[in-house]
């Protein structure tokens, strides 16, 4: 789902699996343990496994708490203990964003005092000549601009079968774009 209102003390204790049989390569699939996407502040906990299994070559965005944010908001005191996985038997040619707290951020978002202890993994084959790239991390997998990450921690394992030249991996952030800052964070993964 997508939230335009503030989510506070939201808790998910059940596994979430998002499976699509066939999908166009230009589609973006977004899922999270608490919310697929949000336009307002999120304070949430996910304790269930989150799995995305596409049946095509779509952009996959998966987060333990939230999949995607395209608005300048705050993630505060979020916790993920569940495994987060992007898995497919289909060879991909697009982007993957997989993370413990929020999968992909495209605006100036602040992520404060959040923690991940779940295993974050990508299990997707690459096709010959494919140009896919993947962002894998404990807190946020990718930020396009001005993201601030403060006081966050990751102790979850980061696992992938993709070639290194296709990966951006970080204990806290997989990719932190222009103007982004990370302060007072720790990773033990």
């Amino acid at each position: 789902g997508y939230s335009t209102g503030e989510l506070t003390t939201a808790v998910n204790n059940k596994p979430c699996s998002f499976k699509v049989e066939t999908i166009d390569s230009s589609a973006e699939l977004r899922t999270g343990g608490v919310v697929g996407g949000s336009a307002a502040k999120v304070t949430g906990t996910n304790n269930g496994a989150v799995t995305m299994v596409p049946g095509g070559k779509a952009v996959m965005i998966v987060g333990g708490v939230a999949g995607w944010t395209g608005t300048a908001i705050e993630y505060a005191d979020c916790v993920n203990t569940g495994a987060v996985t992007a898995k497919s038997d289909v060879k991909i040619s697009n982007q993957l964003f997989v993370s413990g707290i929020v999968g992909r951020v495209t605006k100036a978002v602040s992520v404060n005092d959040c923690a991940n202890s779940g295993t974050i993994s990508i299990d997707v084959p690459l096709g010959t000549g494919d140009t896919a790239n993947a962002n894998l991390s404990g807190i946020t997998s990718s930020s396009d601009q001005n993201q601030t990450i403060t006081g966050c921690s990751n102790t979850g394992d980061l696992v992938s079968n993709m070639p290194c030249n296709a990966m951006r991996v970080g204990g806290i952030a997989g990719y932190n774009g222009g103007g982004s800052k990370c302060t007072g964070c720790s990773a033990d993964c």
Side-chain angles (χ1 to χ4, degrees):
Y2 184 79
S3 175
T4 57
E6 189 172 309
L7 291 172
T8 57
T9 63
V11 178
N12 174 51
N13 292 314
K14 301 287 185 179
C16 299
S17 182
F18 181 32
K19 183 174 183 176
V20 178
E21 294 302 321
T22 57
I23 194 81
D24 182 275
S25 64
S26 64
E28 278 194 9
L29 305 177
R30 305 167 182 163
T31 193
V34 174
V35 65
S38 184
K41 182 179 178 179
V42 176
T43 301
T45 298
N46 176 58
N47 297 310
V50 180
T51 306
M52 179 176 283
V53 183
K57 297 183 176 190
V59 174
M60 296 191 296
I61 304 172
V62 191
V65 174
W68 172 82
T69 283
T71 307
I73 66 168
E74 178 185 15
Y75 287 86
D77 302 308
C78 292
V79 175
N80 178 61
T81 64
V84 179
T85 306
K87 180 178 177 75
S88 180
D89 295 330
V90 175
K91 292 180 180 178
I92 64 144
S93 60
N94 224 322
Q95 294 181 315
L96 299 167
F97 303 91
V98 186
S99 186
I101 302 299
V102 59
R104 184 173 187 201
V105 171
T106 57
K107 296 292 181 194
V109 168
S110 61
V111 183
N112 301 314
D113 303 312
C114 295
N116 174 64
S117 61
T119 296
I120 313 302
S121 62
I122 295 175
D123 184 9
V124 178
L126 279 177
T128 304
D130 280 347
T131 58
N133 65 56
N135 300 277
L136 177 69
S137 74
I139 303 299
T140 64
S141 67
S142 177
S143 170
D144 294 345
Q145 61 182 338
N146 300 320
Q147 173 178 246
T148 303
I149 306 170
T150 305
C152 295
S153 66
N154 176 50
T155 57
D157 291 335
L158 304 175
V159 181
S160 176
N161 69 340
M162 291 184 76
C164 291
N165 64 345
M167 294 290 298
R168 294 176 181 156
V169 180
I172 300 297
Y175 172 76
N176 232 7
S180 295
K181 297 176 188 173
C182 184
T183 307
C185 297
S186 66
D188 184 11
C189 50

